[in-house]
């Protein structure tokens, strides 16, 4: 440890570093070591997502054991001896496991850092909110790190019944982009062939006009395996009790290349089981997603409501069918192939901006909380805000 550099002011781990905590609690506050420290490589990419700093490593071997025992990719090893000892990948290999970034969490110091997150924020400037990864039906428990009302990172939260201590790199890297990128802003209505920004009242009026006078079987409602149980429940109530349609279903998002034997599942949506259990299914002679194309081609469907999904982006057949209906009302959070066809767009919060629940593959109902402030949640949900958020920031949509 005498060779450990005094990197704390520039180290991503500062604020959550075990060594820093021990030094703070137990050291004399001054080093008696006057000699030149041993220097090692400070920027070694062990894989596409993990950066290694040899000087900060305390040779605990946690990362080596993780790569071998959990990720099943035993490519990390100690090399050299004495105070020259360091970590390397075996020649000709790279640490590119789908679970590689978990070593960043288990490294007790800042020797392993995220290439994606490096130098973006100090830990104490961020708020951390309990959430659920929406990347697949496992529903890994995560914590969302936010600064200046912007999602900067996700890290796993321990739940021995779901994800134990880990999450996959795909989920971890996707979470910030799912909230920050390609978002819908204002409500929009199609006028003269173009989508134009309008007020909420105008958009809701346009949606009501698109539904007025139609019989139930002229309407098709897409619930969503990507939306919460609460949103799907309200959509099923709207379909059954107000619109009187049984044409209600959701799209399944199966990817047979994604699943593995650790956490990842082929079902890439977080809430297919929940959507079905709160009533998103054809009823009273209503039609399924599979029958939707044929119904639309016959002109039987006049208006489609899409909640939180992108049917046109999922399959060319659905895109063609949607292009043939009179009105498409999209209640969505992102610009998609379906919003390009929409008649009315009602922008909605992502799961990171509201409270709700997903039901995972084992039927476990898991709660997520709002991590980001919007006008709608108005800081009213007992949110854990970071220090900077409390004072508002230019991109804080609440101020
Ligand atoms: S987990 Fe961190 S401190 Fe421990 S051996 Fe690996 S790089 Fe070094
Ligand atoms: S295994 Fe699924 S739920 Fe877990 S982190 Fe990966 S994508 Fe997200």
């Amino acid at each position: 440890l005498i060779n450990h550099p005094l990197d704390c002011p520039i180290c991503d781990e500062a604020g959550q570093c075990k060594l820093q905590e021990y030094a703070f609690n137990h050291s004399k506050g001054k080093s008696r070591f006057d000699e030149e420290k041993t220097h090692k490589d400070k920027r070694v990419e062990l894989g596409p997502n993990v950066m290694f700093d040899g000087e900060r490593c305390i040779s605990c071997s946690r990362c080596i054991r993780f790569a071998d025992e959990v990720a099943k990719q035993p490519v990390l090893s100690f090399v050299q001896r004495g105070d020259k000892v360091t970590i390397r990948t075996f020649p000709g290999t790279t640490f590119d496991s789908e679970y590689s970034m978990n070593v960043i969490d288990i490294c007790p110091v800042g020797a392993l850092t995220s290439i994606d997150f490096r130098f973006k924020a100090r830990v104490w400037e961020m708020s951390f909110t309990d959430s659920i990864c929406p990347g697949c039906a496992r529903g890994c428990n995560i914590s969302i790190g936010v600064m200046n009302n912007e999602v900067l990172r996700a890290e796993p939260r321990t739940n021995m019944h779901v994800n134990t201590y880990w999450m996959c790199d795909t989920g971890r890297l996707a979470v910030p982009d799912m909230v920050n990128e390609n978002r819908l802003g204002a409500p929009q209505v199609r006028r003269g062939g173009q989508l134009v920004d309008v007020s909420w009242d105008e958009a809701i009026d346009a949606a009501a006009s698109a539904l007025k006078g139609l019989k139930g079987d002229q309407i098709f409602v897409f619930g969503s395996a990507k939306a919460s149980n609460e949103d799907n429940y309200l959509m099923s109530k709207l379909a059954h009790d107000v619109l009187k349609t049984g044409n209600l279903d959701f799209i399944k998002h199966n990817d047979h290349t994604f699943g593995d034997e650790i956490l990842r599942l082929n079902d890439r949506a977080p809430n297919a089981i929940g959507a079905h259990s709160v009533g998103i299914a054809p009823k009273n002679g209503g039609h399924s997603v599979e029958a939707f194309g044929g119904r639309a081609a016959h002109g039987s469907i006049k208006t489609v409501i899409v909640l939180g999904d992108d049917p046109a982006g999922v399959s060319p057949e659905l895109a063609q069918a949607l292009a043939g209906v009179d009105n498409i009302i999209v209640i969505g959070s992102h610009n998609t192939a379906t919003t390009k066809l929409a008649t009315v767009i009602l922008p909605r919060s992502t799961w990171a901006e509201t409270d709700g629940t997903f039901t995972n593959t084992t039927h476990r109902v898991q709660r997520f909380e709002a991590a980001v402030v919007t006008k709608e949640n108005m800081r009213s949900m007992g949110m854990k805000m970071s220090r900077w958020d409390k004072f508002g920031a230019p991109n804080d949509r609440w101020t």
Side-chain angles (χ1 to χ4, degrees):
L1 285 181
I2 54 174
N3 286 306
H4 194 88
L6 290 176
D7 271 359
C8 304
I10 55 154
C11 178
D12 276 349
E13 191 77 357
Q16 56 181 19
C17 174
K18 281 288 167 206
L19 188 58
Q20 193 182 43
E21 285 169 22
Y22 295 146
F24 186 77
N25 289 332
H26 306 296
S27 84
K28 296 174 72 173
K30 184 177 182 306
S31 173
R32 289 178 295 158
F33 186 75
D34 294 329
E35 291 76 17
E36 181 70 14
K37 297 191 179 201
T38 303
H39 293 292
K40 298 177 186 170
D41 292 337
K42 288 195 74 66
R43 278 173 292 275
V44 181
E45 291 187 17
L46 296 183
N49 299 317
V50 181
M51 186 73 84
F52 174 64
D53 182 323
E55 292 187 349
R56 296 179 191 163
C57 174
I58 59 165
S59 305
C60 70
S61 79
R62 282 184 181 182
C63 55
I64 297 172
R65 286 191 58 200
F66 175 86
D68 182 13
E69 297 174 18
V70 181
K72 310 291 183 201
Q73 191 188 31
V75 295
L76 300 182
S77 179
F78 285 129
V79 293
Q80 307 287 11
R81 289 188 177 187
D83 65 359
K84 301 277 190 301
V85 73
T86 191
I87 302 274
R88 283 285 179 275
T89 51
F90 284 109
T93 66
T94 181
F95 187 40
D96 58 1
S97 154
E98 256 303 333
Y99 295 86
S100 70
M101 295 179 82
N102 291 288
V103 295
I104 297 160
D105 307 319
I106 59 174
C107 179
V109 290
L112 297 172
T113 52
S114 159
I115 291 174
D116 176 65
F117 179 74
R118 263 166 85 83
F119 308 129
K120 278 190 183 163
R122 311 314 309 265
V123 170
W124 57 88
E125 292 174 348
M126 301 170 74
S127 56
F128 289 90
T129 305
D130 290 356
S131 190
I132 303 298
C133 175
C136 80
R138 178 73 62 191
C140 290
N141 290 212
I142 61 170
S143 185
I144 297 182
V146 171
M147 187 176 80
N148 290 342
N149 212 26
E150 183 183 356
V151 174
L152 294 185
R153 76 181 196 197
E155 55 195 38
R157 198 158 47 86
T158 303
N159 185 331
M160 300 310 285
H161 302 288
V162 181
N163 52 307
T164 63
Y165 313 99
W166 322 118
M167 70 184 296
C168 77
D169 292 1
T170 301
R172 186 188 299 248
L173 292 170
V175 162
D177 287 352
M178 283 186 197
V179 186
N180 302 333
E181 303 292 328
N182 193 29
R183 293 293 302 273
L184 289 167
Q188 293 182 309
V189 165
R190 191 172 293 278
R191 284 185 187 148
Q194 300 292 319
L195 284 168
V196 293
D197 290 0
V198 295
S199 68
W200 275 99
D201 285 346
E202 286 174 281
I204 290 167
D205 280 350
S209 304
L211 293 163
K212 207 166 186 175
L214 294 182
K215 293 191 187 123
D217 63 1
Q218 294 176 305
I219 300 168
F220 195 97
V221 178
F222 285 89
S224 175
K226 296 181 175 182
S228 67
N229 288 321
E230 292 73 16
D231 287 355
N232 276 306
Y233 174 74
L234 290 176
M235 187 50 80
S236 92
K237 291 280 281 182
L238 178 75
H240 294 134
D241 298 352
V242 181
L243 303 175
K244 311 285 184 200
T245 180
N247 296 332
L248 174 66
D249 205 356
F250 65 90
I251 297 167
K252 296 173 185 66
H253 293 271
N254 288 323
D255 173 359
H256 297 292
T257 65
F258 189 73
D260 62 22
E261 293 182 347
I262 302 175
L263 291 175
R264 303 187 348 154
L265 296 170
N266 286 337
D267 179 356
R268 296 297 311 275
N271 199 33
I273 287 175
H276 188 266
S277 65
V278 297
I280 303 294
K283 281 206 182 93
N284 306 327
H287 297 280
S288 64
V289 167
E290 288 71 29
F292 166 71
R295 301 286 301 164
H298 283 113
S300 309
I301 304 293
K302 301 295 181 199
T303 293
V304 174
I305 303 177
V306 180
L307 168 70
D309 212 327
D310 179 24
V314 168
S315 89
E317 293 75 30
L318 285 175
Q320 198 179 0
L322 283 169
V325 302
D326 295 348
N327 292 295
I328 303 168
I329 302 166
V330 177
I331 307 167
S333 49
H334 293 78
N335 289 296
T336 62
T338 306
T339 58
K340 288 200 179 84
L341 301 171
T343 328
V344 181
I345 296 175
L346 304 172
R348 67 191 278 270
S349 297
T350 66
W351 95 109
E353 293 148 345
T354 188
D355 282 13
T357 56
F358 290 143
T359 306
N360 86 344
T361 186
T362 59
H363 295 250
R364 178 176 287 267
V365 179
Q366 304 196 96
R367 183 172 178 218
F368 52 80
E369 298 174 36
V372 175
V373 183
T374 63
K375 281 181 185 166
E376 284 67 37
N377 65 34
M378 284 277 200
R379 300 180 191 243
S380 63
M381 296 177 172
M383 295 173 60
K384 291 169 246 161
M385 304 307 298
S386 74
R387 289 161 53 175
W388 302 129
D389 291 334
K390 277 183 185 159
F391 296 100
N395 63 342
D396 182 340
R397 278 165 266 163
W398 187 75
T399 55

